[in-house]
Amino acid sequence: MKRVLFLASVLLSAAALLGQDLPNGRFAKMPGMLQPGMITREANGIPHVFALNRHDLVFLNGWLHAQDRLFQMDTSRRIASGTAGELLGSSALSNDVQLRTFGLRRAAEAALPLLSADTRAALDAYAEGVNAYTATHFLPAEYGLLEQSKVPPWTPVDSLVVGKLIAFGLSFDLDLDATVGLISYQTAGAIVGFDGAKLFTDTWRVAPFTAAATIPDATGTGSKLPILDGPRFDTSFVKPETLDMLRELRNRASEVEVLASSLNPERHAGSNEWAVSPAKSTTGNALIANDPHLALTAPSTFYPISLRGGGINVAGMGFPGAPFVIQGQNERLAWGSTVHPMDVTDLYQEQLVPDAASPSGFSSLYKGAKETVQAIPQVFRVNARGNGVMDDLAIVPASASIPVATLVVPRHGPVIQLSAATGVAVTVQYAGFYPTHELESFMKIDEAKTIDEFKSALQLFDVGSQNFAVADVDGNIAYFTSGELPLREDLQAGKVTGVPPYFIRNGQGGNEWIPATGARPADQALPFAILPYAEMPQVQNPSNGWFVNANNDPTGQTLDNDPLNTPRAGGGILYLNPGYDGLRAGRITELVRAKLAGGGKMSPDDMKAIQADTALIDAEVFVPFITKAYANAKTPGSVLAGLAVNADVTEAVDRLGRWNFTTPTGIDTGYDAADVNGVLSAPSQAEIDNSIAATVYAAWRSRFLANTIDAVMKQLTVPLPPAQQTLAALRFQLENFATTGGRGASGVNFFNSTCCTTAAERRDAIILTSMIEGLAMLQSDAFVPAFNRSGRFTDWRWGKLHRVVFAHLLGSAFSPGGTAGQPPFPSVSTLTGVATDGGFGTVDAATHNARASTPDGFMFSSGPNRRYVGDMAKDGIRGESSLPGGVSGRIGDPLSVNLLMLWLTNDTYPVRADVTPKIPFIK
């Protein structure tokens, strides 16, 4: 009987509406609205809201989010609040423990009373709209599957915590791997006899793979001269047990999906944006492009919508769970953003001591004095799903992994790891743990009519730092960074105490965020001294008539491999971040310069073509070294002649020499930019050839990393550097080989081979041996699912390796192409995922593990969550966009994936800011 009731509840949750919706395309008034309003939907499902006042506009914004994405927004607030287990079950407990510890919900609750009255009113109206929908409609099918029959009312704090979670994913950065890496290298160096700190700077390079730098490239000016020199890696304060604690913490954090990007550089949020001035445009208008890169999920992260009324007229993308448009266009402006990985997170090593006078029983030592540690009681509950009983929540007993309280060191932040035996603890301080104003910033951005008003709105974008690109109908283009950057006391004094902020720091003094003094500006959130906005990277109407940002260095200060040698205009050291992405921006800058060379101009189609670019810029660098090594081996008398007579190597080098570095799938069931509107076509011979070359190169890259820096690190039993830093280090070594001989500043040789006597021969031997091993890997048993042990190059198509997967909280069966999902994608043999073009560091973001050595290692799960190109015409901005999914989040709804096919082939739909005749009384 329970089983029958359960199935009935699933069916009911997807059944017809209980209440009355607004009729499509007609003005009407629902309970809770002040005046009549209207919702219209395009054929593709994208909604447009028209209202006579701000309250009703935001009310309907909330109503629509609940109608289309209720499960998504509910799970987002629960994940952020540390209560996901109450819906998803025990599998979410690790998330709940970690997120309760971080306290995003506590920060959201503290932020609400500090927001403006207008923002609080909007959040109230949004919550009213969500609750009006849930009160009169059945819940989505997921709740029945999870044996839940009700959903808690939406509150303004829920919207704030959803915003906090998004900002957290964009800006929170645990310094675990860097700290473990540095100390491990130092330890190994002390034993073997080299400088471990120099080995770290050799391999975890700060200097990016390319020298693309937003403002210097846009203006033709250079970066500031260095002022600081000398060692800055004194880790003597780090206690031996701390390293083990950090390793344990990493293992635990790896179980929490929202921390994945802070641990895995290949999953870091990215993005592309650029703009060109009217003088450089074929339309005579400013042009702007943006594609933010986030996790590819089902449903998609963004929600497309337009909002008109109450002083707002905006179209673009919003986040389910929060009101307003986040990236989009209004009557006069269009904007987008990329992540600026500004360092607003510090780990601290603390010393806790027993203290009977403290409510928690602990105090922390700071400069020898005791400071009380707070304790916040916690009770964890889980949904006992699977027993057929609806709404069955169980309290989880306290244990070693389920704490009874969260400990917080007020000076720094929550305790995220503690040794009960020694009292050594790790805490984390993060700008997002304080009350901030991001949702207020979104509202003001939507209202902005000028570049100056837009810039003013960014002063409230406190955490989740972004690089904003904005253009207006008057022909102006501008680049601004956002976010509040706390000033550290040692850097402000012009030095580094201990280690820089991108490692764990000493919590007992010397490394503090400087407290703010006097009255803070009204738009400042953090209670600390922050970098003045005038010193943040920004440029308006640059002299070169264009700018590019793709998470690269905005000012060029890291190009010399040192992030801490640039002076602040206000005194001290200017420190933004320990390193930036160096691939996509390099390629975009290359393409923009080529298009504009000799007086050329760029069209909107050119902008879209750049977004669809799939060339590998690292291949552009490394392939000439492969062909040169082969030519050297062919030289009469070469000791490497045996490598050059290998027929497979000869064919591989020949194919790479004819390759244009692009990465098409090369298969009938693969989606490529050359396909149109989601309709597959047979690959051309050129696409097939380029596809094969892409496979060969990816296999070589994997083995080249393994045979150079990785081999050295594994011999020393120390952690590997992230892939992009490793590639940057290898580029530096190859391009400077005449000087370095393959050795870093540490003296460590990265090109170890016993085959030859000279450094150059050893280098070439490793390059060619990596090719032989890569080709053998493609023919190995591990690659049977893709290539079935074939030794024919013509069988090695890139699309059989490079596949995208869309994550769903209930499992892959509910993802696009899954058994319960839409649509049924064409299969790629027995492999999972959807074959697409692109690759490591391509502009059309599709990055996989560069060290991949199995067929599934080349899959990817993050990429463009929105593509947008805007032509800033005075008679109406002409915008085009794409979305990896659809408006709906309902299981099985065709409108959940109807836009996905366009996205897969890099095609777009028009952004329709006004789909009805002019209605004069809507302001």
Side-chain angles (χ1 to χ4, degrees), residues 736-876:
N736 295 277
F737 203 86
T739 302
T740 69
R743 294 180 181 273
S746 59
V748 173
N749 182 11
F750 301 120
F751 294 84
N752 291 311
S753 174
T754 59
C755 75
C756 341
T757 57
T758 71
E761 289 170 338
R762 290 191 290 270
R763 173 202 63 201
D764 291 348
I766 288 177
I767 290 173
L768 296 177
T769 299
S770 298
M771 180 62 72
I772 293 172
E773 292 179 2
L775 300 179
M777 181 176 77
L778 298 177
Q779 302 172 62
S780 68
D781 290 346
F783 279 72
V784 164
F787 304 131
N788 198 29
R789 299 189 189 88
S790 174
R792 296 186 297 270
F793 280 77
T794 52
D795 290 335
W796 297 342
R797 310 292 178 88
W798 180 235
K800 292 187 177 182
L801 297 181
H802 191 252
R803 292 162 279 125
V804 59
V805 290
F806 299 91
H808 192 285
L809 275 172
L810 297 188
S812 59
F814 296 92
S815 299
T819 55
Q822 291 278 345
F825 284 104
S827 63
V828 186
S829 184
T830 59
L831 300 164
T832 58
V834 183
T836 71
D837 54 4
F840 187 82
T842 53
V843 174
D844 188 8
T847 286
H848 56 84
N849 179 3
R851 294 180 165 97
S853 57
T854 66
D856 286 352
F858 297 88
M859 296 196 300
F860 68 102
S861 58
S862 63
N865 271 237
R866 167 219 192 201
R867 296 190 186 99
Y868 175 82
V869 170
D871 180 3
M872 306 301 294
K874 287 184 179 293
D875 61 349

Side-chain angles (χ1 to χ4, degrees), residues 279-333:
K280 306 287 185 179
S281 160
T282 60
T283 67
N285 307 316
L287 302 178
I288 185 172
N290 174 232
D291 51 290
H293 309 151
L294 301 165
L296 293 170
T297 59
S300 56
T301 301
F302 282 126
Y303 183 92
I305 193 171
S306 79
L307 303 169
R308 187 164 178 236
I312 288 179
N313 187 354
V314 64
M317 299 292 182
F319 289 123
F324 307 118
V325 163
I326 312 306
Q327 296 181 334
Q329 63 184 59
N330 60 27
E331 306 103 307
R332 295 188 53 79
L333 305 174

Side-chain angles (χ1 to χ4, degrees), residues 674-764:
D675 298 323
V676 178
N677 292 334
V679 178
L680 295 178
S681 58
S684 67
Q685 188 59 51
E687 286 181 297
I688 291 172
D689 290 340
N690 288 325
S691 171
I692 295 166
T695 302
V696 169
Y697 177 77
W700 173 85
R701 183 208 284 130
S702 171
R703 297 310 304 158
F704 186 57
L705 292 174
N707 291 329
T708 51
I709 289 175
D710 289 8
V712 172
M713 300 308 172
K714 288 179 179 178
Q715 186 176 6
L716 294 171
T717 64
V718 297
L720 302 180
Q724 192 169 150
Q725 282 91 323
T726 307
L727 288 170
L730 289 169
R731 177 179 188 174
F732 176 83
Q733 288 296 330
L734 289 174
E735 291 182 340
N736 295 277
F737 203 86
T739 302
T740 69
R743 294 180 181 273
S746 59
V748 173
N749 182 11
F750 301 120
F751 294 84
N752 291 311
S753 174
T754 59
C755 75
C756 341
T757 57
T758 71
E761 289 170 338
R762 290 191 290 270
R763 173 202 63 201
D764 291 348

Side-chain angles (χ1 to χ4, degrees), residues 180 239-250 417:
V180 172
K239 298 185 178 181
E241 60 264 43
T242 301
L243 208 57
D244 291 334
M245 292 168 63
L246 294 180
R247 292 190 179 105
E248 181 184 341
L249 176 59
R250 192 195 195 285
Q417 192 76 338

Side-chain angles (χ1 to χ4, degrees), residues 1 13 20 46 50 53 59 190 294 385 392 401 425 477 533 536-537 571 612 784 808 885 890:
M1 184 61 181
S13 65
Q20 181 67 43
I46 294 177
F50 300 85
N53 58 77
F59 176 97
L294 301 165
R385 53 187 287 202
D392 186 11
S401 59
I477 62 173
Y533 195 78
M536 294 279 283
V784 164
H808 192 285
R890 294 187 295 273

Side-chain angles (χ1 to χ4, degrees), residues 12 16 21 51 77 85 134 177 275 306 343 348 379 384 396 399 454 548 684 695 747 752 763 772 774 923:
L12 281 172
D21 285 328
R77 67 167 167 178
T134 58
D177 288 349
S306 79
D343 190 355
Y348 291 96
V379 177
V396 182
S399 65
F454 184 90
V548 170
S684 67
T695 302
N752 291 311
R763 173 202 63 201
I772 293 172
K923 299 294 185 182

Side-chain angles (χ1 to χ4, degrees), residues 105-271:
R105 184 91 189 179
R106 298 192 295 271
E109 290 168 346
L112 182 62
L114 303 181
L115 299 176
S116 70
D118 286 346
T119 305
R120 293 198 305 274
L123 292 172
D124 285 338
Y126 181 86
E128 291 168 15
V130 173
N131 294 330
Y133 180 85
T134 58
T136 55
H137 293 75
F138 287 115
L139 296 180
E142 290 94 334
Y143 291 94
L145 294 170
L146 294 168
E147 299 173 8
Q148 293 285 299
S149 67
K150 53 193 174 184
V151 62
W154 197 266
T155 70
V157 171
D158 291 329
S159 292
L160 292 180
V161 81
V162 167
K164 283 281 187 186
L165 181 66
I166 293 163
F168 180 86
L170 299 176
S171 59
F172 186 78
D173 187 17
L174 286 170
D175 300 316
L176 299 173
D177 288 349
T179 299
V180 172
L182 172 63
I183 297 176
S184 299
Y185 290 11
Q186 289 177 318
T187 302
I191 296 171
V192 178
F194 60 83
D195 188 324
K198 288 184 177 179
L199 179 63
F200 186 89
T201 57
D202 282 339
T203 56
W204 295 62
R205 281 185 68 82
V206 168
F209 189 84
T210 71
T214 301
I215 296 173
D217 289 342
T219 60
T221 59
S223 56
K224 295 183 174 70
L225 295 174
I227 59 166
L228 186 66
D229 196 13
R232 299 188 298 278
F233 298 104
D234 180 6
T235 56
S236 59
F237 72 92
V238 180
K239 298 185 178 181
E241 60 264 43
T242 301
L243 208 57
D244 291 334
M245 292 168 63
L246 294 180
R247 292 190 179 105
E248 181 184 341
L249 176 59
R250 192 195 195 285
N251 291 337
R252 199 170 72 246
S254 65
E255 300 175 359
V256 180
E257 178 62 25
V258 295
L259 292 177
S261 64
S262 68
L263 298 173
N264 181 358
E266 265 69 67
R267 294 186 63 181
H268 277 180
S271 304

